[in-house]
């Protein structure tokens, strides 16, 4: 999970994903398959990511910094399912209120 949170290139993400990985980010359609998921995850955004646990599963609390901003805003909780040491599924719960439900702040100033 720490490696997943720290990666930024498609090749690095690809090494961590199951072949049939599925990423859901409702209401958008799911991203399916390791190649598509790696490209999706490697998009050039400025994230701050913190490990957590949600419903007994590994999760990541993700904060996004918009270009030119001096702070990160709570954005999404990714709840992972890991099978055989690889990420098989990521359910994204988009919205600051999901991140704040973990008792974390809405904003991180840098």
């Amino acid at each position: 999970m720490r490696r997943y949170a720290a990666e930024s290139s498609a090749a690095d993400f690809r090494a961590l994903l199951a072949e049939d990985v599925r990423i859901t980010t409702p209401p958008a359609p799911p991203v399916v398959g390791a190649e598509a998921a790696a490209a999706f995850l490697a998009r050039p955004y400025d994230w701050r990511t913190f490990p957590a646990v949600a419903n007994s599963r590994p999760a990541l609390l993700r904060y996004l910094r918009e270009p030119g901003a001096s702070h990160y805003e709570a954005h999404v909780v990714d709840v992972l399912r890991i099978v055989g040491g690889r990420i098989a599924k990521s359910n994204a719960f988009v919205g600051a209120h999901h991140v704040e439900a973990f008792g974390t702040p809405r904003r991180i100033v840098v």
Side-chain angles (χ1 to χ4, degrees):
M1 191 166 79
R2 283 187 294 267
R3 285 181 49 211
Y4 178 77
E7 300 303 352
S8 61
S9 78
D12 291 339
F13 280 116
R14 177 67 186 84
L16 302 174
L17 302 172
E19 287 300 319
D20 60 348
V21 65
R22 182 179 182 89
I23 299 174
T24 63
T25 58
V31 177
V32 180
E35 296 303 322
F40 175 80
L41 293 168
R43 294 169 300 158
Y45 293 116
D46 186 0
W47 294 104
R48 282 279 171 98
T49 305
F50 301 93
V53 175
N55 295 330
S56 300
R57 289 177 47 195
L60 299 170
L61 309 179
R62 301 189 60 145
Y63 288 77
L64 179 64
R65 183 167 71 171
E66 297 292 337
S70 62
H71 64 276
Y72 290 81
E73 290 283 337
H75 188 68
V76 64
V77 176
D78 291 329
V79 181
L80 308 177
R81 183 167 55 94
I82 299 173
V83 176
R86 295 190 178 247
I87 297 166
K89 189 167 189 178
S90 175
N91 297 103
F93 295 87
V94 180
H97 63 286
H98 295 296
V99 179
E100 291 176 304
F102 288 81
T104 57
R106 178 178 285 267
R107 178 178 286 173
I108 299 173
V109 179
V110 291

